[in-house]
Amino acid sequence: MLSIAGLFSIASWKLGVAFVVCSIAYIVYYYFYSCKYLMKVLGAYQIEKKDNPTLYNIVEELSIAAGIPVPKIYICDDLIPNAFATGYDPQHASIAITAGLLEIMNEKELRGVVGHELSHIRNYDIRLTTVLCSLDRIIFNCGVYLIVAVLGMLYSLFEGEFSIAKIVIFVFVAPVALFFGVPIAFIGIPLSKILYIFFSKEREYLADVGSIDLTRDGSNIIGALQKLERYDEIIEEKGVDTDYFYNDTLVSGLALNVNKPKNWLKSLVSDHPPLNKRIKRLKESAN
């Protein structure tokens, strides 16, 4: 049976190379296959014009207004009202609308939502969000991995029989791991999270404004956000748990709306600005 030291030691260069290769592969996969991944997570299915003419016509019309190709359109049977845009450029983009959103939105509000998602595509937010999500995960994994590896080497130093090899590994490898691991764990991880949150919130504000630019009517997106805000209050009153829907970083980052923060701290670390602030900004910009 492998010892704990054997599991955690990073003395072997092969393990380091494998980690780098896996990290690169992870970014490549997330970059090119984020759409397939997201639709699989959501259980979404692609539709054609005959399946939902109203939705398809809205997406087609606003795509022309945005000057981008018509993205693939998916519907997710989940009752939580939401929408997503994903892909790595406008030529390989998709949008997903949940059944819950289609149920509560009228045609004007649906235009506002679609305009918001198409603005994300036009602004290449879908690419940046995908890359930032993957980098955030890699930075987190690197920081945690290096710290745990040092603890494994420390354990191996006192486990079993004494050997010069153990001392050599600990003296020469552990300081290097700490040199990179501590800054990554205590500076890199918080910094990457802060930058991701800041970027995500700003892009949501811009996409809201972009929706007005595409639909030429601010009441569309404002009405949609107000309806989502009322829905959030209903969810809060009933105590419905929707965390399962947003337990993936990429899903949360690309969503039109996320769970209403229960306190100021959760609001601070949320990757979306509160709906009331988004509505307020849009109304102020309209005046």
Side-chain angles (χ1 to χ4, degrees):
M1 182 179 293
L2 289 175
S3 66
I4 295 178
L7 290 173
F8 291 122
S9 177
I10 59 170
S12 171
W13 65 270
K14 294 182 180 179
L15 187 58
V17 171
F19 185 81
V20 172
V21 171
C22 289
S23 297
I24 295 174
Y26 181 80
I27 293 178
V28 172
Y29 174 81
Y30 239 52
Y31 185 81
F32 289 105
Y33 298 100
S34 59
C35 178
K36 290 183 179 180
Y37 170 80
L38 181 63
M39 299 312 169
K40 183 178 180 180
V41 169
L42 298 176
Y45 54 92
Q46 187 176 353
I47 67 165
E48 302 296 336
K49 189 171 185 176
K50 59 183 176 61
D51 301 313
N52 193 321
T54 300
L55 174 60
Y56 195 95
N57 288 335
I58 291 174
V59 174
E60 190 174 43
E61 177 190 338
L62 294 182
S63 296
I64 294 172
I68 60 175
V70 179
K72 294 179 181 178
I73 306 171
Y74 289 81
I75 289 182
C76 172
D77 286 330
D78 203 288
L79 295 179
I80 298 174
N82 225 319
F84 309 82
T86 185
Y88 53 90
D89 61 30
Q91 287 70 39
H92 301 86
S94 302
I95 66 170
I97 308 290
T98 66
L101 187 133
L102 291 174
E103 182 179 345
I104 69 171
M105 297 289 174
N106 59 37
E107 187 172 337
K108 281 193 63 177
E109 294 159 349
L110 185 58
R111 288 176 63 85
V113 171
V114 172
H116 175 99
E117 298 307 326
L118 292 179
S119 293
H120 277 312
I121 296 174
R122 181 175 63 172
N123 298 336
Y124 285 82
D125 294 341
I126 51 175
R127 172 187 291 178
L128 290 173
T129 299
T130 300
V131 172
L132 287 176
C133 281
S134 60
L135 289 176
D136 180 65
R137 288 186 178 187
I138 289 173
I139 290 172
F140 179 84
N141 291 339
C142 283
V144 173
Y145 173 80
L146 290 172
I147 296 299
V148 171
V150 172
L151 294 176
M153 285 183 282
L154 180 62
Y155 180 88
S156 70
L157 192 63
F158 300 99
E159 183 194 39
E161 298 180 359
F162 173 82
S163 70
I164 299 298
K166 290 182 179 180
I167 296 179
V168 171
I169 290 173
F170 186 77
V171 170
F172 290 99
V173 180
V176 176
L178 281 175
F179 180 80
F180 290 102
V182 171
I184 292 175
F186 295 99
I187 299 177
I189 293 176
L191 185 60
S192 68
K193 190 65 178 177
I194 291 171
L195 290 175
Y196 172 72
I197 291 172
F198 174 79
F199 160 80
S200 182
K201 287 183 176 180
E202 287 304 311
R203 304 315 290 183
E204 287 302 316
Y205 284 129
L206 288 175
D208 288 340
V209 175
S211 177
I212 297 177
D213 178 54
L214 294 180
T215 63
R216 303 299 179 184
D217 188 347
S219 64
N220 293 341
I221 185 62
I222 292 175
L225 294 179
Q226 288 175 330
K227 189 163 285 186
L228 287 174
E229 189 176 32
R230 289 195 295 272
Y231 181 86
D232 279 353
E233 292 174 356
I234 294 172
I235 287 294
E236 189 175 15
E237 290 174 1
K238 292 184 177 181
V240 178
D241 180 22
T242 57
D243 286 341
Y244 74 93
F245 196 72
Y246 309 106
N247 60 7
D248 184 277
T249 306
L250 186 59
V251 174
S252 176
L254 294 172
L256 171 69
N257 182 36
V258 296
N259 287 340
K260 182 180 180 181
K262 295 180 175 60
N263 53 59
W264 69 270
L265 181 59
K266 288 188 175 181
S267 177
L268 185 66
V269 300
S270 174
D271 51 18
H272 280 56
L275 289 172
N276 61 334
K277 287 189 177 182
R278 293 167 65 179
I279 295 168
K280 182 179 178 181
R281 275 204 182 190
L282 290 172
K283 288 182 175 180
E284 289 176 349
S285 64
N287 295 331

